[in-house]
Amino acid sequence: VITHAIAIVSALLTHHLVTHQKSRRLEIRRAPGFKPWRMSKWTSYGGRLETQGLVGDPSTSLREQTSQALDKLDDILEEAGTCRSNILHVTIWLVDIENATAYDEMNAVYDAYLADCYADGERLPTRVCVGAALTGGFAVEIRASAALPLHSVGRKELPNS
């Protein structure tokens, strides 16, 4: 009787997990962006998080803008239920990419941001850094994708207001 009950419970749990995982893979989650509502702050689908481009205060230095953008990234990662160690890819747009000092300043902040999670240097996310004509005094814009742990993939969609 006990063996039969265990088999039934096991079958029910397996069915629930398979059904739940299928529904999680199909769910698109969106976090409200900022007015004028041109984009979501982030989206996720199939266990992958994608962020909008993140910028800092344009009245501050490149170093500060980079730090502020990465702080926003941390906020998004936390909101979505993941963390720095799950970052898969980072794209960085840098206004003055030809300026080695500017490039080094941005890299110093970026490297420090990832140092705690990737001390070995072997599991770093992929990265692209390109020059861009950003407007409004922005010196840098950062966008990232990250893996979502299974427990966060199935969370319900955030309100769009």
Side-chain angles (χ1 to χ4, degrees):
V1 174
I2 292 174
T3 305
H4 183 63
I6 291 173
I8 290 172
V9 170
S10 177
L12 288 172
L13 285 174
T14 301
H15 173 73
H16 172 73
L17 288 173
V18 168
T19 303
H20 190 61
Q21 284 180 348
K22 285 180 184 176
S23 68
R24 286 192 301 207
R25 284 195 300 265
L26 300 177
E27 182 179 0
I28 297 175
R29 295 173 54 216
R30 301 176 194 282
F34 304 99
K35 289 186 178 180
W37 310 115
R38 289 189 180 101
M39 69 197 84
S40 294
K41 185 170 35 170
W42 58 265
T43 59
S44 71
Y45 179 77
R48 185 179 176 113
L49 170 77
E50 300 288 339
T51 74
Q52 68 180 38
L54 305 167
V55 295
D57 179 349
S59 68
T60 62
S61 70
L62 169 62
R63 186 178 293 272
E64 290 170 305
Q65 286 187 45
T66 303
S67 181
Q68 292 166 4
L70 292 171
D71 287 345
K72 289 179 181 179
L73 176 56
D74 271 345
D75 292 343
I76 288 173
L77 294 171
E78 182 178 341
E79 182 179 308
T82 192
C83 60
R84 289 180 195 179
S85 62
N86 289 331
I87 295 173
L88 301 170
H89 177 79
V90 177
T91 301
I92 300 171
W93 294 272
L94 191 59
V95 167
D96 200 6
I97 199 163
E98 299 282 329
N99 179 337
T101 302
Y103 186 73
D104 290 344
E105 281 182 20
M106 180 277 301
N107 274 326
V109 176
Y110 178 83
D111 292 345
Y113 174 79
L114 293 178
D116 292 341
C117 297
Y118 301 98
D120 62 4
E122 293 182 17
R123 298 183 19 210
L124 288 166
T126 59
R127 186 182 103 167
V128 173
C129 184
V130 296
L134 301 175
T135 61
F138 297 109
V140 63
E141 183 172 348
I142 298 173
R143 183 187 171 283
S145 64
L148 292 170
L150 286 179
H151 71 273
S152 69
V153 176
R155 293 194 325 198
K156 69 181 201 176
E157 185 173 329
L158 296 172
N160 285 320
S161 56

